[in-house]
Amino acid sequence: MTHRSWMRSEGFTTEVFDGRPVIGIATTWSELAPCNVHLHRVAESVKRGVWQAGGFPLEFPAMALGETLLRPTAMLYRNLLAMEAEELFRANPLDGVVLLSGCDKTTPGLLMAAASVDLPAVMVTGGPKLNGKYQGTDVGSGTAVWRWEEDLLAGRMTQEECFFAEGCMSRSDGHCMTMGTASTMASVAEALGMQLPYSAAWPAVDARRYETAQRAGQVIVDLVNSDLSPSKIMTRQAFENAIRVNAAIGGSTNAVIHLLAIAGRLGVPLSLDDFDALAADVPTLVNLQPSGQYLMEDFCYAGGLPAVMRELGGLLHGDAITVTGRTVAENVADAPCWNRDVIHAMDAPFQPPGTGTAVLRGNLAPDGAVLKQSAASPHLLKHRGRALVFDSPEAYHAVVADPDLDADENTVLVIRYCGPKGYPGMPEVSNVPLPKKLLNRGVRDMVRICDGRMSGTAYGTVVLHVTPEAAAGGPLALVRTGDWITIDVPSRALTLEVPDEELARRRAEWTAPPPAAARGWTRLYTDHVLQADTGADLDFLIGASGHEVPRDSH
Ligand code: FES
């Protein structure tokens, strides 16, 4: 009586308490997360579908992570969202959940939660913005910003032009419309089988986004009735599909960290090396920024992810089950492609196999580092140069315009203390702009090495996720300006050319930085966060607890 009576204060009729499935709709809506600001409306469509299918929908908020506003980085809070959502899913009397996400970290955060609770779940991402339009050309979220930042620094663009351009870039609801992290993770969720076919690509303002949301409302009731839970969908096969799809779409390096973290919640064995090995024979098929030319709206009109997955054919596990209750192969069997310049065919790929994420190792990154080959400059994939070292991106930014900066195009910029513990939260700062004096000379890329991450919208020859990070005492902390560094991507090697004895001497002199915070979430995070090579989850959040509450006194 207590449960029903209090719920009736919301105006529900008694029929909704007849035992029908109770479907939670976890929304990461917030005006502080502009990419997710339309999710309230998406939730209304989901509710229609739930009612239609005989369920009882209840919408509730989960922490919204707005990539552009949160400091020091939204990534600091991905695990907090995952923890909050996990507890909400378990503690409330829900039979299934619909996960409404959009901006970068909201998608992996909710998937991690769903994985740990293992209630039937279906994801509905909010969809990308319409293409940006500036001076007659398409401009992509984020990707254009990096270019304009350099143009502003080099005097090729005025501040007034920048103000005008920023409005042209963000002209509708939705998340970044490049193949950045949000579009990547939406595609990855679809490839994992956790969201409906075509969901990743419908623009946020497209009526079919709302149609698909309504369909997801129907689907979640079916999933509850058939007890098809995330652990039955997100299997090792599904992760292998997601990794291969990520390579084919030229997806973000952030997918590496997020997929490792989601797999960790399910107990699915997945390692950093799987990303390199599984992507080795996958060509890049999708010609989208930042690696290519087009944007998500074009991707949608070209056929979206099902067209890519159909093209990948035998490279995917076609028998992996998805939220539709059907297999991957069944879902994409008839998927058409309408534009081969946007979605290339396997026999005429956009980039050849082996141009996806490379995993580098060596004495500078004993536990690995990653590099997005499709976004790098081919002439820098084998490179030897002297290190120019900065202990923070801020320290580098302070001198980036210095005409006397001791750097040339062969210099290897090392930016460190940007890892999970160091910054904290492992921000997307690794693709620092080039020194102004080199930009003025027309240099457009140079090797950068960092223990932080790079935005999925960014490009450049940037070695990321160096593990262990400097703040955890990784060798990156021992590099000094003037040291020679060799990067050899074909051999997957990253070498600091300093003798072991000298490194040992430097290590003896090194002291760990103090914790970033004395209390609160940041303290909990830095005390427990794992390194990037295993997904940067918290050590005590690995694994699943299921959907039974530990002690139910009611
Ligand atoms: Fe939200 Fe890019 S800032 S998706």
Side-chain angles (χ1 to χ4, degrees):
M1 176 178 184
T2 308
H3 301 151
R4 286 193 303 272
S5 175
W6 263 252
M7 286 303 292
R8 289 185 68 180
S9 71
E10 295 185 32
F12 293 116
T13 56
T14 52
E15 293 81 21
V16 302
F17 308 111
D18 62 1
R20 65 186 71 195
V22 181
I23 305 299
I25 303 172
T27 175
T28 49
W29 169 89
S30 166
E31 288 185 338
L32 288 168
C35 306
N36 293 16
V37 81
H38 59 304
L39 291 183
H40 255 337
R41 277 175 279 133
V42 176
E44 292 307 315
S45 294
V46 174
K47 284 180 201 172
R48 280 209 297 259
V50 174
W51 286 122
Q52 255 179 333
F56 175 21
L58 292 165
E59 181 185 357
F60 60 93
M63 191 177 182
L65 304 179
E67 192 68 26
T68 51
L69 298 184
L70 276 169
R71 295 171 295 170
T73 164
M75 182 62 178
L76 177 61
Y77 304 105
R78 181 201 65 179
N79 299 340
L80 185 56
L81 163 62
M83 192 160 72
E84 182 212 20
E86 176 182 343
E87 299 307 323
L88 286 170
F89 297 170
R90 182 181 301 110
N92 284 293
L94 302 174
D95 298 301
V97 282
V98 179
L99 316 169
L100 301 192
S101 67
C103 201
D104 295 11
K105 309 302 174 293
T106 52
T107 297
L110 289 179
L111 283 176
M112 289 160 72
S116 281
V117 180
D118 206 24
L119 273 179
V122 58
M123 173 153 269
V124 181
T125 52
K129 292 180 192 356
L130 295 175
N131 288 2
K133 299 280 182 185
Y134 176 61
Q135 293 183 338
T137 57
D138 284 0
V139 287
S141 322
T143 304
V145 175
W146 310 117
R147 197 172 66 242
W148 292 337
E149 192 180 13
E150 290 181 348
D151 287 348
L152 195 62
L153 206 60
R156 291 189 292 265
M157 195 175 194
T158 66
Q159 188 65 65
E160 287 66 37
E161 286 170 332
C162 261
F163 287 147
F164 184 74
E166 70 192 20
C168 301
M169 183 173 60
S170 304
R171 62 192 188 93
S172 80
D173 286 338
H175 57 66
C176 292
M177 79 317 245
T178 46
M179 189 50 83
T181 304
S183 301
T184 298
M185 291 309 298
S187 302
V188 157
E190 192 174 319
L192 279 170
M194 289 299 291
Q195 72 166 337
L196 294 175
Y198 297 101
S199 283
W202 299 129
V205 294
D206 195 306
R208 290 163 295 181
R209 159 91 24 218
Y210 290 86
E211 220 176 272
T212 305
Q214 183 168 340
R215 179 90 184 98
Q218 298 170 318
V219 159
I220 186 63
V221 176
D222 293 343
L223 289 175
V224 169
N225 290 335
S226 59
D227 195 27
L228 187 54
S229 61
S231 64
K232 295 172 187 153
I233 295 172
M234 291 192 280
T235 59
R236 166 85 193 183
Q237 286 191 333
F239 280 96
E240 291 187 0
N241 285 347
I243 289 170
R244 288 199 148 126
V245 163
N246 188 48
I249 62 176
S252 165
T253 47
N254 286 319
V256 176
I257 292 193
H258 297 321
L259 280 169
L260 287 167
I262 298 163
R265 298 299 185 97
L266 292 155
V268 170
L270 199 69
S271 76
L272 196 52
D273 294 319
D274 286 326
F275 289 80
D276 205 330
L278 287 163
D281 53 355
V282 181
T284 307
L285 299 179
V286 175
N287 178 8
L288 250 61
Q289 296 181 32
S291 303
Q293 176 188 352
Y294 295 99
L295 296 167
M296 286 298 283
E297 201 182 327
D298 310 303
F299 182 55
C300 173
Y301 305 148
L305 201 69
V308 178
M309 294 178 74
R310 181 185 180 188
E311 197 60 33
L312 287 173
L315 284 175
L316 300 180
H317 298 288
D319 54 349
I321 196 78
T322 73
V323 286
T324 62
R326 304 192 310 161
T327 65
V328 163
E330 289 169 339
N331 284 346
V332 306
D334 302 319
C337 174
W338 303 109
N339 187 336
R340 282 292 176 207
D341 200 31
V342 178
I343 301 172
H344 285 232
M346 282 294 279
D347 55 7
F350 174 55
Q351 292 187 349
T355 48
T357 302
V359 176
L360 311 181
R361 291 180 192 276
N363 68 344
L364 194 49
D367 294 334
V370 304
L371 178 134
K372 184 174 175 177
Q373 296 179 87
S374 61
S377 301
H379 73 281
L380 291 173
L381 294 178
K382 275 179 93 136
H383 180 77
R384 182 170 184 262
R386 284 196 183 275
L388 180 60
V389 181
F390 296 89
D391 283 344
S392 69
E394 292 79 9
Y396 173 69
H397 284 292
V399 300
V400 69
D402 184 348
D404 298 323
L405 189 69
D406 187 15
D408 61 23
E409 55 269 53
N410 295 317
T411 300
V412 174
L413 284 175
V414 173
I415 314 290
R416 64 189 178 192
Y417 295 102
C418 302
K421 288 179 189 296
Y423 201 87
M426 204 180 177
E428 295 177 337
V429 294
S430 306
N431 58 310
V432 290
L434 271 49
K436 183 177 179 183
K437 70 175 200 180
L438 298 182
L439 287 173
N440 289 344
R441 279 180 34 208
V443 178
R444 302 304 288 190
D445 195 10
M446 59 195 291
V447 174
R448 287 151 277 180
I449 298 177
C450 185
D451 46 5
R453 294 176 301 118
M454 175 169 91
S455 167
T457 63
Y459 50 84
T461 310
V462 193
V463 179
L464 308 157
H465 311 179
V466 173
T467 308
E469 62 173 301
L476 195 66
L478 309 179
V479 185
R480 291 187 180 166
T481 291
D483 288 348
W484 286 99
I485 292 177
T486 301
I487 169 176
D488 185 346
V489 177
S491 301
R492 301 296 192 259
L494 181 63
T495 311
L496 174 63
E497 296 181 23
V498 174
D500 289 348
E501 315 79 61
E502 170 61 12
L503 289 177
R505 198 180 60 72
R506 292 183 189 180
R507 177 167 297 288
E509 293 173 3
W510 180 78
T511 49
R519 61 173 299 282
W521 167 252
T522 303
R523 183 58 194 261
L524 186 69
Y525 177 90
T526 51
D527 281 355
H528 292 279
V529 71
L530 299 167
Q531 291 292 284
D533 63 321
T534 54
D537 202 356
L538 302 190
D539 53 12
F540 61 85
L541 290 177
I542 296 288
S545 302
H547 49 264
E548 299 300 326
V549 289
R551 179 165 173 268
D552 189 353
S553 57
H554 298 287

